[in-house]
């Protein structure tokens, strides 16, 4: 199988940006930092449950990835996502607001610049810092 890296990379960078800017310690990168195996995070039961931080993060990251590609407007994004989540009966994370989305956009611009500056065959390393408890 061939891996389509552009959307996979963007998805992972959006996760990194959201989790870093929202100071989330129990989503994808936080769980990795806590020692959860990467393979374990791929199983649906790990992200099941509406109150689970990883599930809530995933419900934001997917739509945010699309909004980023179209030109991110933080106010419009937050309003549309909140309206959608209410319409389907999903909880909206308390940490989601326009300021966070604007900071995520700034971080994504930095991450994309870092990726573009990474030489072919070289590794781009990110350091995820767990938030203080």
């Amino acid at each position: 199988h061939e891996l389509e890296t552009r959307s996979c990379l963007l998805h992972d960078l959006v996760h990194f940006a959201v989790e870093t800017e929202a100071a989330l310690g129990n989503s994808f990168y936080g769980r990795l930092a806590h020692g959860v195996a990467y393979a374990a995070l791929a199983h649906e039961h790990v992200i099941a449950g509406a109150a689970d931080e990883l599930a809530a993060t995933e419900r934001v990251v997917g739509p945010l990835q699309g909004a980023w590609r179209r030109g991110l407007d933080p106010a419009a994004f937050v309003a549309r996502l909140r309206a959608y989540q209410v319409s389907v009966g999903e909880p909206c994370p308390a940490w989601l607001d326009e300021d966070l989305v604007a900071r995520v956009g700034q971080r994504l611009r930095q991450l994309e610049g870092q990726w573009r500056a990474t030489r072919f065959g070289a590794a781009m390393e990110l350091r995820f810092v767990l938030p203080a408890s």
Side-chain angles (χ1 to χ4, degrees):
H1 293 281
E2 221 174 275
L3 178 63
E4 194 280 295
T5 57
R6 285 186 190 202
S7 64
C8 289
L9 175 64
L10 179 58
H11 186 81
D12 290 347
L13 293 179
V14 174
H15 258 285
F16 185 84
V18 167
E19 293 177 41
T20 299
E21 293 302 324
L24 302 175
N26 203 25
S27 289
F28 182 79
Y29 285 97
R31 290 185 187 202
L32 287 176
H34 284 296
V36 174
Y38 179 81
L41 290 171
H43 296 294
E44 254 185 65
H45 72 277
V46 175
I47 61 170
D52 183 64
E53 182 182 291
L54 180 56
T57 304
E58 197 63 51
R59 287 192 300 266
V60 171
V61 166
L64 188 54
Q65 180 178 345
W68 176 252
R69 285 185 175 147
R70 292 185 302 275
L72 183 61
D73 175 343
F77 174 78
V78 170
R80 278 194 303 269
L81 187 62
R82 283 187 178 155
Y84 170 76
Q85 288 183 323
V86 165
S87 75
V88 296
E90 291 177 351
C92 194
W95 45 262
L96 180 67
D97 61 25
E98 291 176 32
D99 180 58
L100 171 82
V101 174
R103 291 194 324 269
V104 166
Q106 291 172 347
R107 181 155 311 252
L108 280 170
R109 280 188 288 283
Q110 293 168 346
L111 291 169
E112 284 188 335
Q114 184 180 349
W115 173 247
R116 286 189 189 105
T118 302
R119 289 184 341 270
F120 180 78
M124 176 179 154
E125 293 185 26
L126 301 176
R127 181 171 305 274
F128 182 79
V129 178
L130 284 168
S133 307

